[in-house]
Amino acid sequence: MQGLLRRWTRASLHHSACCSSSSTKISSTKPRGRCRLISLDKTSSVKQQRRKQHDTAAMASPSSSSSSSSSSVMEQSHDSMQQSSVDRLLLVDGNALVYRAYWGYSQMGFTNADAVRLDDDDETTTTTEVVETGSLFGFLRMLLVLLEIRPLPKYVSVVFDSKGKTFRHDLYKEYKQNRQPTPDDLRTEVFPRIKELVRAMQLNVIEVPGYEADDVIASICRTALESQGQGKEGRLEIDLATPDKDFFQLLGPDIRMLRPQKKNRDSSVNGIAYDVYSDRTFREDYGGLCPTKFVDIQALAGDTADNVPGVRGIGPKTAVKLLLEYEDLQGILDNATSIKGKVARNALTSEEGVSLAKLSKSLVELDCKIPDDVLFRDKLESDLTFKKPDDEGRELLRLFREYDFKTLTPRVETLWQDLDHAATGESS
């Protein structure tokens, strides 16, 4: 995986510079220069909408009263991302957004008890089933913010984890065993309904048996960048919508992350916002290291979220210091007897420490080799094209009426209108 990612980005002087950095400072505070993509709801105050932040890029949704709904200013992000001629590929970590919506909205008591369903003859009948709709509403709000970012993405896929175990469970039976079981209602009700809504939007949905969404997204990135390297016209920039740090290893000149902001952030009051996390941001956070080195950081420090063991006694800061001195995990292991710190030296000269480091690396490294004929029915360009549904959106709007999502209807209608304009070359 590391070798592939290096080859993808070798041509970029920008990326090469990061690999040769000798900086040893590890940021103790959040780095400056992060760009935020912000969508404010109708409930947001005018003052909040006009708030200026030197390190913030506002991205108003059509539901905002701001006049900037069809354009954006993205300070301090990749220059190429500001060029409307560049095509965008948006890859959404479906599981991450579903869980975030479930834990953030399911306890609010939202239901469709007051909803009515309209049939083709304009007759009204009370909906046959009252269901909890908070999780669905929260997921759609987060998804729509991503779809409304300008320039509109040309390609979109929402990727979900497959059911059952993956190759990582075969390598390490304790993998992710520290996690609580998925709640029954989330597994049997929320996930199926969200997937139904996403398909009604005619967005590409991918699940590959035996693989996590992370590996599927990494493989799509590989396909996209390889096709770009084969001389195809145009340039593709890739946005990964996920809070998951595992994706840091994919960051590069053409790949950035859109990370949902945590609660109680100033810019996310009454709205939804995403922080842009780029290869430059990573270097600021990790002492100048390349994003590809994040695999080695986790190999040494482990990852409690996925129950990846790492090497006992080594944390992220120590891992970064060692990588700055010895370049990569193999260099560290080859020079373990020369390591100055006693705890790290003892751990990395022991058979157990070496074994755990290598095991952890195999667990955290994303598999980008899933074949295209497994990922796509046809090919990326045709499968992932973002467009108005072929049924003119009737099924989605029916579901919106069923779930009583009145406020979302004008947003998707505006989005479809903009897609039509983009398809005909008109300005939205």
Side-chain angles (χ1 to χ4, degrees), residues 225-242:
L225 294 176
E226 284 182 350
S227 65
Q228 191 169 259
Q230 292 170 0
K232 293 190 176 181
E233 291 185 6
R235 186 176 178 187
L236 192 64
E237 299 282 3
I238 304 173
D239 282 342
L240 310 179
T242 176

Side-chain angles (χ1 to χ4, degrees), residues 23-248:
S23 171
T24 58
K25 182 178 180 180
I26 302 175
S27 301
S28 59
T29 58
K30 292 181 180 178
R32 294 170 294 175
R34 284 187 183 160
C35 169
R36 296 189 190 122
L37 308 181
I38 305 168
S39 176
L40 297 173
D41 292 339
K42 288 182 177 179
T43 52
S44 300
S45 69
V46 174
K47 181 178 179 180
Q48 288 167 341
Q49 293 180 46
R50 292 178 178 175
R51 183 181 297 152
K52 293 182 179 179
Q53 301 174 346
H54 75 279
D55 63 343
T56 297
M59 189 77 66
S61 76
S63 62
S64 168
S65 63
S66 171
S67 62
S68 61
S69 61
S70 62
S71 62
S72 65
V73 178
M74 303 182 62
E75 299 174 7
Q76 301 182 16
S77 84
H78 294 306
D79 291 340
S80 59
M81 293 300 239
Q82 300 177 31
Q83 300 173 7
S84 59
S85 61
V86 176
D87 291 332
R88 289 180 55 237
L89 165 61
L90 172 64
L91 300 176
V92 180
D93 183 350
N95 280 69
L97 263 64
V98 170
Y99 273 95
R100 192 176 184 87
Y102 179 80
W103 294 114
Y105 288 83
S106 64
Q107 305 303 316
M108 293 184 177
F110 296 147
T111 71
N112 62 338
D114 296 332
V116 294
R117 182 180 294 134
L118 301 176
D119 64 17
D120 292 338
D121 296 324
D122 290 331
E123 297 173 357
T124 62
T125 58
T126 303
T127 186
T128 57
E129 184 181 10
V130 176
V131 298
E132 184 273 317
T133 58
S135 302
L136 313 183
F137 185 69
F139 176 87
L140 287 171
R141 288 181 68 220
M142 289 187 286
L143 180 60
L144 283 172
V145 169
L146 293 166
L147 297 176
E148 289 163 348
I149 293 172
R150 269 50 175 184
L152 294 176
K154 186 172 183 178
Y155 309 106
V156 178
S157 183
V158 183
V159 184
F160 292 96
D161 290 335
S162 63
K163 296 179 181 179
K165 295 183 178 181
T166 69
F167 69 92
R168 292 183 178 87
H169 295 92
D170 296 331
L171 292 173
Y172 185 57
K173 65 180 181 179
E174 288 87 7
Y175 180 66
K176 291 190 176 181
Q177 277 196 0
N178 57 332
R179 296 191 177 186
Q180 296 295 319
T182 303
D184 288 341
D185 61 333
L186 176 57
R187 177 174 48 82
T188 62
E189 297 178 24
V190 175
F191 265 109
R193 290 192 176 107
I194 282 178
K195 291 175 184 178
E196 181 185 29
L197 284 161
V198 174
R199 290 190 172 99
M201 297 177 76
Q202 204 168 309
L203 297 179
N204 176 265
V205 175
I206 301 181
E207 296 177 65
V208 179
Y211 291 93
E212 298 180 55
D214 305 31
D215 302 307
V216 177
I217 289 174
S219 296
I220 296 174
C221 289
R222 181 260 308 161
T223 297
L225 294 176
E226 284 182 350
S227 65
Q228 191 169 259
Q230 292 170 0
K232 293 190 176 181
E233 291 185 6
R235 186 176 178 187
L236 192 64
E237 299 282 3
I238 304 173
D239 282 342
L240 310 179
T242 176
D244 193 344
K245 293 188 299 183
D246 292 343
F247 288 100
F248 285 176

Side-chain angles (χ1 to χ4, degrees), residues 282-303:
F282 179 89
R283 294 194 307 277
E284 292 175 354
D285 277 354
Y286 291 92
L289 291 174
C290 279
T292 54
K293 296 296 193 298
F294 190 69
V295 173
D296 290 342
I297 293 174
Q298 288 186 301
L300 293 166
D303 181 6

